[in-house]
Amino acid sequence: MSKDCEKHGGGGGGTAGRICGVIIGFIIMVLITIFLVWVILQPTKPRFILQDATVFAFNLTQPDLLTSKFQVTLVTRNRNSKIGIYYDRLHVYATYRNQQITFPTAIPPTYQGHKEDSVWSPLIYGNDVPVAPYNAVALGDEQSRGFVELVIRADGRVRWKVGTLITGKYHLHVRCHAYINLAEKSNGVIVGENIVKYMVDNQCSVNV
């Protein structure tokens, strides 16, 4: 921008230079205002809770292929009283021992107002997903005991809205532990043939 100002200024007169100076000054003031508002309001990251998980399928077959299908309920709350949150992009998927075992499912872009709650119930699944041999052994052991530990993850981008000001995009990483007792279906609610809904109610870790 400074080079453009020099070119215009050299054309005869300081009018263009003064205009460029005003524009630069205005941009600096806006950036300072955003920074001060940010510091004063101290935005708090949203809270996520994994409320439940409905298991439609969870089968490990040879050679180390996993077919799984879940519907999970995520409840998120904007804890800020003066800041809104734009969820521009968010994908939910399941992992086992840091290995992704389902395809990512996209959550539609959402705006969350002050002190507002949102509930999402995405369906996540994976068909014949190759599992690393060492994970397949551990998963087989857990299945034989009837107790499997998964992590439901949500990754995406968020923006903060303060009044009419909207920030740039920030990375959002959510991790929710889900302990599923596959051996005791009585621990869940049977909602269909071989379909069981388990109440989890675990608070998730959130990093922005």
Side-chain angles (χ1 to χ4, degrees):
M1 182 178 289
S2 60
K3 292 184 179 179
D4 293 338
C5 292
E6 291 174 2
K7 290 180 182 179
H8 289 299
T15 302
R18 285 193 295 271
I19 293 175
C20 286
V22 170
I23 293 174
I24 294 173
F26 176 76
I27 293 174
I28 292 174
M29 288 180 61
V30 169
L31 293 176
I32 292 175
T33 300
I34 293 175
F35 175 75
L36 290 176
V37 169
W38 182 269
V39 171
I40 293 172
L41 294 179
Q42 289 293 317
T44 301
K45 58 189 178 183
R47 176 185 289 122
F48 277 75
I49 293 175
L50 177 61
Q51 183 172 285
D52 57 59
T54 301
V55 181
F56 293 84
F58 196 82
N59 302 309
L60 180 65
T61 59
Q62 297 299 326
D64 301 338
L65 299 176
L66 178 64
T67 294
S68 59
K69 185 177 180 181
F70 310 91
Q71 184 170 29
V72 298
T73 301
L74 288 169
V75 180
T76 177
R77 178 171 178 77
N78 177 7
R79 296 182 288 173
N80 298 285
S81 59
K82 298 180 181 179
I83 301 174
I85 304 175
Y86 283 101
Y87 295 90
D88 291 326
R89 188 182 69 189
L90 197 63
H91 290 90
V92 180
Y93 57 97
T95 63
Y96 177 76
R97 296 199 171 197
N98 294 320
Q99 180 180 354
Q100 185 172 335
I101 59 172
T102 69
F103 302 112
T105 296
I107 300 295
T110 304
Y111 173 73
Q112 195 174 50
H114 313 153
K115 296 290 185 178
E116 188 174 285
D117 295 332
S118 298
V119 179
W120 299 314
S121 296
L123 189 67
I124 54 178
Y125 63 93
N127 296 320
D128 292 333
V129 176
V131 179
Y134 51 87
N135 280 343
V137 171
L139 182 56
D141 290 341
E142 288 189 12
Q143 275 192 295
S144 65
R145 295 194 299 268
F147 192 84
V148 176
E149 179 182 357
L150 304 176
V151 176
I152 306 301
R153 302 191 179 196
D155 294 326
R157 300 284 185 89
V158 295
R159 290 177 295 159
W160 310 94
K161 182 176 184 293
V162 184
T164 58
L165 299 176
I166 300 176
T167 69
K169 295 181 179 181
Y170 289 80
H171 290 281
L172 174 70
H173 301 287
V174 181
R175 303 291 181 265
C176 311
H177 287 273
Y179 304 93
I180 310 249
N181 192 336
L182 298 174
E184 295 293 337
K185 293 184 178 180
S186 60
N187 288 337
V189 179
I190 298 177
V191 295
E193 186 175 356
N194 295 322
I195 303 173
V196 184
K197 182 176 184 178
Y198 297 93
M199 300 306 296
V200 181
D201 200 27
N202 281 348
Q203 185 164 322
C204 311
S205 64
V206 181
N207 291 305
V208 180

